[in-house]
Tab-separated table of all heavy atoms in Angstrom:
chain	number	residue	atom	x	y	z
A	7	LYS	N	6.162	16.499	4.910
A	7	LYS	CA	7.270	17.048	5.694
A	7	LYS	C	7.391	18.543	5.465
A	7	LYS	O	6.883	19.077	4.479
A	7	LYS	CB	8.586	16.353	5.362
A	7	LYS	CG	9.042	16.528	3.939
A	7	LYS	CD	10.336	15.757	3.721
A	7	LYS	CE	10.784	15.911	2.281
A	7	LYS	NZ	12.039	15.193	2.014
A	8	LYS	N	8.057	19.199	6.406
A	8	LYS	CA	8.341	20.626	6.266
A	8	LYS	C	9.456	20.805	5.240
A	8	LYS	O	10.313	19.932	5.091
A	8	LYS	CB	8.790	21.222	7.606
A	8	LYS	CG	7.666	21.541	8.532
A	8	LYS	CD	8.171	22.385	9.694
A	8	LYS	CE	6.977	22.935	10.442
A	8	LYS	NZ	7.365	23.920	11.423
A	9	THR	N	9.439	21.932	4.576
A	9	THR	CA	10.513	22.237	3.641
A	9	THR	C	11.799	22.484	4.425
A	9	THR	O	11.763	22.724	5.640
A	9	THR	CB	10.182	23.481	2.800
A	9	THR	OG1	9.949	24.574	3.679
A	9	THR	CG2	8.961	23.255	1.921
A	10	LYS	N	12.928	22.447	3.734
A	10	LYS	CA	14.207	22.657	4.408
A	10	LYS	C	14.263	24.007	5.106
A	10	LYS	O	14.853	24.145	6.165
A	10	LYS	CB	15.356	22.530	3.411
A	10	LYS	CG	15.575	21.110	2.978
A	10	LYS	CD	16.721	20.979	2.008
A	10	LYS	CE	16.846	19.513	1.599
A	10	LYS	NZ	17.801	19.315	0.535
A	11	SER	N	13.621	25.009	4.508
A	11	SER	CA	13.610	26.342	5.133
A	11	SER	C	12.645	26.402	6.317
A	11	SER	O	12.688	27.329	7.112
A	11	SER	CB	13.211	27.401	4.101
A	11	SER	OG	11.859	27.210	3.711
A	12	GLY	N	11.738	25.402	6.403
A	12	GLY	CA	10.771	25.367	7.491
A	12	GLY	C	9.575	26.270	7.274
A	12	GLY	O	8.710	26.380	8.133
A	13	SER	N	9.504	26.899	6.098
A	13	SER	CA	8.422	27.858	5.865
A	13	SER	C	7.237	27.276	5.106
A	13	SER	O	6.280	27.982	4.817
A	13	SER	CB	8.963	29.061	5.092
A	13	SER	OG	9.463	28.629	3.839
A	14	GLY	N	7.281	26.003	4.771
A	14	GLY	CA	6.187	25.404	4.028
A	14	GLY	C	6.157	23.899	4.222
A	14	GLY	O	6.933	23.335	4.992
A	15	PHE	N	5.249	23.247	3.495
A	15	PHE	CA	5.069	21.802	3.577
A	15	PHE	C	5.017	21.214	2.177
A	15	PHE	O	4.500	21.852	1.247
A	15	PHE	CB	3.761	21.467	4.307
A	15	PHE	CG	3.769	21.858	5.749
A	15	PHE	CD1	3.408	23.150	6.144
A	15	PHE	CD2	4.139	20.951	6.731
A	15	PHE	CE1	3.425	23.522	7.476
A	15	PHE	CE2	4.157	21.319	8.064
A	15	PHE	CZ	3.798	22.600	8.433
A	16	VAL	N	5.538	20.009	2.044
A	16	VAL	CA	5.482	19.254	0.792
A	16	VAL	C	5.123	17.815	1.134
A	16	VAL	O	5.259	17.384	2.269
A	16	VAL	CB	6.818	19.286	0.014
A	16	VAL	CG1	7.165	20.687	-0.456
A	16	VAL	CG2	7.948	18.701	0.836
A	17	PHE	N	4.669	17.075	0.132
A	17	PHE	CA	4.452	15.652	0.334
A	17	PHE	C	4.960	14.895	-0.876
A	17	PHE	O	5.087	15.442	-1.968
A	17	PHE	CB	2.978	15.317	0.612
A	17	PHE	CG	2.039	15.614	-0.524
A	17	PHE	CD1	1.897	14.734	-1.585
A	17	PHE	CD2	1.278	16.769	-0.521
A	17	PHE	CE1	1.026	15.010	-2.624
A	17	PHE	CE2	0.403	17.053	-1.547
A	17	PHE	CZ	0.274	16.167	-2.605
A	18	SER	N	5.267	13.635	-0.639
A	18	SER	CA	5.593	12.727	-1.727
A	18	SER	C	4.674	11.521	-1.604
A	18	SER	O	4.286	11.126	-0.505
A	18	SER	CB	7.062	12.310	-1.680
A	18	SER	OG	7.391	11.765	-0.429
A	19	LEU	N	4.296	10.975	-2.753
A	19	LEU	CA	3.524	9.741	-2.779
A	19	LEU	C	4.528	8.618	-3.019
A	19	LEU	O	5.272	8.636	-3.994
A	19	LEU	CB	2.477	9.772	-3.888
A	19	LEU	CG	1.660	8.491	-4.093
A	19	LEU	CD1	0.923	8.073	-2.831
A	19	LEU	CD2	0.693	8.658	-5.254
A	20	VAL	N	4.559	7.667	-2.087
A	20	VAL	CA	5.531	6.581	-2.122
A	20	VAL	C	4.776	5.259	-2.293
A	20	VAL	O	3.808	4.997	-1.581
A	20	VAL	CB	6.365	6.560	-0.817
A	20	VAL	CG1	7.383	5.448	-0.833
A	20	VAL	CG2	7.038	7.910	-0.595
A	21	ALA	N	5.228	4.454	-3.245
A	21	ALA	CA	4.600	3.153	-3.496
A	21	ALA	C	4.955	2.176	-2.378
A	21	ALA	O	5.855	2.428	-1.574
A	21	ALA	CB	5.070	2.610	-4.846
A	22	GLY	N	4.283	1.049	-2.354
A	22	GLY	CA	4.529	0.027	-1.344
A	22	GLY	C	5.958	-0.487	-1.334
A	22	GLY	O	6.453	-0.934	-0.311
A	23	ASN	N	6.649	-0.386	-2.485
A	23	ASN	CA	8.036	-0.848	-2.573
A	23	ASN	C	9.045	0.213	-2.129
A	23	ASN	O	10.250	0.006	-2.218
A	23	ASN	CB	8.370	-1.325	-3.989
A	23	ASN	CG	8.300	-0.205	-5.023
A	23	ASN	OD1	8.076	0.957	-4.704
A	23	ASN	ND2	8.497	-0.572	-6.275
A	24	GLY	N	8.542	1.373	-1.661
A	24	GLY	CA	9.412	2.437	-1.169
A	24	GLY	C	9.846	3.448	-2.211
A	24	GLY	O	10.504	4.437	-1.886
A	25	GLU	N	9.475	3.227	-3.474
A	25	GLU	CA	9.854	4.151	-4.544
A	25	GLU	C	8.940	5.382	-4.527
A	25	GLU	O	7.722	5.264	-4.395
A	25	GLU	CB	9.728	3.474	-5.911
A	25	GLU	CG	10.739	2.388	-6.155
A	25	GLU	CD	12.143	2.919	-6.356
A	25	GLU	OE1	12.315	3.930	-7.042
A	25	GLU	OE2	13.068	2.321	-5.781
A	26	VAL	N	9.541	6.562	-4.687
A	26	VAL	CA	8.756	7.795	-4.781
A	26	VAL	C	8.108	7.842	-6.161
A	26	VAL	O	8.788	7.741	-7.182
A	26	VAL	CB	9.638	9.039	-4.550
A	26	VAL	CG1	8.843	10.315	-4.794
A	26	VAL	CG2	10.217	9.029	-3.141
A	27	ILE	N	6.794	8.007	-6.181
A	27	ILE	CA	6.048	8.066	-7.433
A	27	ILE	C	5.948	9.513	-7.916
A	27	ILE	O	6.046	9.796	-9.107
A	27	ILE	CB	4.626	7.492	-7.273
A	27	ILE	CG1	4.661	6.101	-6.655
A	27	ILE	CG2	3.907	7.470	-8.609
A	27	ILE	CD1	3.319	5.592	-6.196
A	28	GLY	N	5.703	10.435	-6.992
A	28	GLY	CA	5.556	11.833	-7.354
A	28	GLY	C	5.663	12.725	-6.144
A	28	GLY	O	5.571	12.256	-5.005
A	29	VAL	N	5.879	14.013	-6.410
A	29	VAL	CA	6.018	15.004	-5.339
A	29	VAL	C	5.077	16.177	-5.599
A	29	VAL	O	4.694	16.449	-6.729
A	29	VAL	CB	7.474	15.503	-5.203
A	29	VAL	CG1	8.396	14.376	-4.802
A	29	VAL	CG2	7.947	16.129	-6.494
A	30	SER	N	4.760	16.863	-4.519
A	30	SER	CA	3.843	18.005	-4.602
A	30	SER	C	4.602	19.307	-4.772
A	30	SER	O	5.827	19.356	-4.689
A	30	SER	CB	3.011	18.093	-3.324
A	30	SER	OG	3.817	18.558	-2.241
A	31	GLU	N	3.825	20.354	-4.944
A	31	GLU	CA	4.356	21.705	-4.875
A	31	GLU	C	4.568	22.035	-3.392
A	31	GLU	O	4.223	21.249	-2.523
A	31	GLU	CB	3.362	22.682	-5.484
A	31	GLU	CG	2.043	22.749	-4.696
A	31	GLU	CD	1.026	23.727	-5.276
A	31	GLU	OE1	1.373	24.531	-6.135
A	31	GLU	OE2	-0.126	23.669	-4.834
A	32	VAL	N	5.101	23.204	-3.110
A	32	VAL	CA	5.250	23.668	-1.727
A	32	VAL	C	3.954	24.366	-1.307
A	32	VAL	O	3.442	25.225	-2.023
A	32	VAL	CB	6.441	24.632	-1.579
A	32	VAL	CG1	6.517	25.188	-0.162
A	32	VAL	CG2	7.744	23.922	-1.940
A	33	TYR	N	3.441	23.977	-0.158
A	33	TYR	CA	2.232	24.585	0.403
A	33	TYR	C	2.628	25.454	1.590
A	33	TYR	O	3.537	25.101	2.343
A	33	TYR	CB	1.251	23.508	0.874
A	33	TYR	CG	0.693	22.677	-0.247
A	33	TYR	CD1	1.295	21.481	-0.629
A	33	TYR	CD2	-0.446	23.085	-0.935
A	33	TYR	CE1	0.777	20.717	-1.657
A	33	TYR	CE2	-0.969	22.323	-1.971
A	33	TYR	CZ	-0.352	21.142	-2.325
A	33	TYR	OH	-0.869	20.389	-3.356
A	34	ASN	N	1.932	26.563	1.781
A	34	ASN	CA	2.230	27.486	2.875
A	34	ASN	C	1.830	26.940	4.243
A	34	ASN	O	2.447	27.281	5.245
A	34	ASN	CB	1.557	28.842	2.648
A	34	ASN	CG	2.164	29.581	1.481
A	34	ASN	OD1	3.356	29.458	1.213
A	34	ASN	ND2	1.341	30.336	0.769
A	35	THR	N	0.776	26.124	4.258
A	35	THR	CA	0.293	25.596	5.535
A	35	THR	C	0.114	24.088	5.447
A	35	THR	O	-0.040	23.525	4.351
A	35	THR	CB	-1.069	26.210	5.927
A	35	THR	OG1	-2.055	25.781	4.969
A	35	THR	CG2	-1.012	27.730	5.995
A	36	LYS	N	0.115	23.451	6.592
A	36	LYS	CA	-0.118	22.008	6.644
A	36	LYS	C	-1.529	21.676	6.165
A	36	LYS	O	-1.741	20.686	5.474
A	36	LYS	CB	0.104	21.504	8.066
A	36	LYS	CG	0.040	20.016	8.188
A	36	LYS	CD	0.406	19.609	9.601
A	36	LYS	CE	0.180	18.146	9.828
A	36	LYS	NZ	0.399	17.761	11.213
A	37	ALA	N	-2.480	22.521	6.510
A	37	ALA	CA	-3.870	22.299	6.091
A	37	ALA	C	-3.980	22.307	4.566
A	37	ALA	O	-4.672	21.472	3.976
A	37	ALA	CB	-4.789	23.349	6.701
A	38	ALA	N	-3.290	23.237	3.926
A	38	ALA	CA	-3.310	23.298	2.461
A	38	ALA	C	-2.647	22.062	1.868
A	38	ALA	O	-3.102	21.517	0.852
A	38	ALA	CB	-2.619	24.571	1.980
A	39	CYS	N	-1.590	21.590	2.497
A	39	CYS	CA	-0.896	20.376	2.060
A	39	CYS	C	-1.843	19.178	2.136
A	39	CYS	O	-1.906	18.358	1.210
A	39	CYS	CB	0.352	20.160	2.917
A	39	CYS	SG	1.447	18.850	2.351
A	40	MET	N	-2.597	19.078	3.205
A	40	MET	CA	-3.550	17.978	3.369
A	40	MET	C	-4.662	18.056	2.311
A	40	MET	O	-5.125	17.035	1.815
A	40	MET	CB	-4.148	17.984	4.774
A	40	MET	CG	-3.104	17.801	5.878
A	40	MET	SD	-2.025	16.386	5.651
A	40	MET	CE	-3.053	15.094	6.277
A	41	LYS	N	-5.067	19.277	1.944
A	41	LYS	CA	-6.060	19.433	0.874
A	41	LYS	C	-5.485	18.958	-0.459
A	41	LYS	O	-6.204	18.400	-1.292
A	41	LYS	CB	-6.506	20.892	0.760
A	41	LYS	CG	-7.501	21.305	1.804
A	41	LYS	CD	-7.996	22.712	1.542
A	41	LYS	CE	-9.019	23.116	2.564
A	41	LYS	NZ	-9.521	24.486	2.334
A	42	GLY	N	-4.182	19.185	-0.653
A	42	GLY	CA	-3.521	18.700	-1.863
A	42	GLY	C	-3.575	17.180	-1.958
A	42	GLY	O	-3.813	16.613	-3.030
A	43	ILE	N	-3.355	16.521	-0.844
A	43	ILE	CA	-3.436	15.058	-0.804
A	43	ILE	C	-4.849	14.602	-1.149
A	43	ILE	O	-5.039	13.676	-1.953
A	43	ILE	CB	-3.001	14.526	0.576
A	43	ILE	CG1	-1.491	14.714	0.744
A	43	ILE	CG2	-3.407	13.061	0.759
A	43	ILE	CD1	-0.961	14.440	2.137
A	44	GLU	N	-5.853	15.245	-0.576
A	44	GLU	CA	-7.240	14.888	-0.880
A	44	GLU	C	-7.558	15.110	-2.355
A	44	GLU	O	-8.295	14.332	-2.965
A	44	GLU	CB	-8.219	15.672	0.006
A	44	GLU	CG	-8.293	15.142	1.412
A	44	GLU	CD	-8.579	13.645	1.474
A	44	GLU	OE1	-9.547	13.173	0.844
A	44	GLU	OE2	-7.807	12.930	2.138
A	45	SER	N	-6.987	16.166	-2.931
A	45	SER	CA	-7.202	16.437	-4.351
A	45	SER	C	-6.644	15.311	-5.210
A	45	SER	O	-7.264	14.899	-6.197
A	45	SER	CB	-6.555	17.779	-4.721
A	45	SER	OG	-6.813	18.092	-6.074
A	46	ILE	N	-5.478	14.784	-4.837
A	46	ILE	CA	-4.907	13.662	-5.591
A	46	ILE	C	-5.787	12.427	-5.438
A	46	ILE	O	-6.076	11.736	-6.413
A	46	ILE	CB	-3.463	13.376	-5.142
A	46	ILE	CG1	-2.578	14.518	-5.617
A	46	ILE	CG2	-2.965	12.034	-5.689
A	46	ILE	CD1	-1.179	14.477	-5.120
A	47	ARG	N	-6.228	12.162	-4.216
A	47	ARG	CA	-7.107	11.006	-3.995
A	47	ARG	C	-8.371	11.096	-4.841
A	47	ARG	O	-8.855	10.095	-5.365
A	47	ARG	CB	-7.487	10.914	-2.521
A	47	ARG	CG	-6.377	10.415	-1.648
A	47	ARG	CD	-6.856	10.273	-0.226
A	47	ARG	NE	-5.870	9.552	0.563
A	47	ARG	CZ	-5.677	9.764	1.840
A	47	ARG	NH1	-6.411	10.649	2.488
A	47	ARG	NH2	-4.770	9.073	2.489
A	48	ASN	N	-8.913	12.295	-4.970
A	48	ASN	CA	-10.159	12.491	-5.728
A	48	ASN	C	-9.935	12.513	-7.237
A	48	ASN	O	-10.773	12.024	-7.988
A	48	ASN	CB	-10.837	13.793	-5.303
A	48	ASN	CG	-11.354	13.741	-3.889
A	48	ASN	OD1	-11.689	12.679	-3.374
A	48	ASN	ND2	-11.399	14.885	-3.232
A	49	ASN	N	-8.834	13.118	-7.684
A	49	ASN	CA	-8.627	13.319	-9.113
A	49	ASN	C	-7.929	12.170	-9.828
A	49	ASN	O	-8.236	11.879	-10.986
A	49	ASN	CB	-7.842	14.617	-9.355
A	49	ASN	CG	-8.700	15.836	-9.152
A	49	ASN	OD1	-9.584	16.117	-9.939
A	49	ASN	ND2	-8.447	16.570	-8.081
A	50	ALA	N	-6.985	11.503	-9.183
A	50	ALA	CA	-6.201	10.464	-9.865
A	50	ALA	C	-7.058	9.344	-10.464
A	50	ALA	O	-6.839	8.967	-11.620
A	50	ALA	CB	-5.135	9.898	-8.932
A	51	PRO	N	-8.029	8.805	-9.724
A	51	PRO	CA	-8.781	7.675	-10.283
A	51	PRO	C	-9.587	8.026	-11.538
A	51	PRO	O	-9.858	7.154	-12.355
A	51	PRO	CB	-9.721	7.260	-9.143
A	51	PRO	CG	-9.067	7.773	-7.907
A	51	PRO	CD	-8.378	9.045	-8.321
A	52	LYS	N	-9.973	9.278	-11.693
A	52	LYS	CA	-10.804	9.644	-12.842
A	52	LYS	C	-10.043	10.442	-13.905
A	52	LYS	O	-10.613	10.819	-14.917
A	52	LYS	CB	-12.028	10.433	-12.365
A	52	LYS	CG	-11.704	11.738	-11.672
A	52	LYS	CD	-12.958	12.399	-11.114
A	52	LYS	CE	-12.582	13.637	-10.324
A	52	LYS	NZ	-13.709	14.222	-9.622
A	53	ALA	N	-8.762	10.685	-13.670
A	53	ALA	CA	-7.973	11.486	-14.608
A	53	ALA	C	-7.720	10.738	-15.914
A	53	ALA	O	-7.463	9.541	-15.929
A	53	ALA	CB	-6.643	11.879	-13.968
Side-chain angles (χ1 to χ4, degrees):
K7 63 182 179 180
K8 279 192 168 189
T9 58
K10 288 181 181 172
S11 67
S13 61
F15 294 86
V16 295
F17 64 81
S18 55
L19 176 58
V20 180
N23 64 4
E25 291 289 318
V26 174
I27 308 168
V29 296
S30 73
E31 64 180 348
V32 176
Y33 294 93
N34 292 327
T35 66
K36 187 174 172 186
C39 189
M40 299 308 278
K41 282 186 178 180
I43 289 171
E44 284 307 308
S45 183
I46 290 173
R47 286 183 169 149
N48 292 332
N49 285 289
K52 62 185 175 187

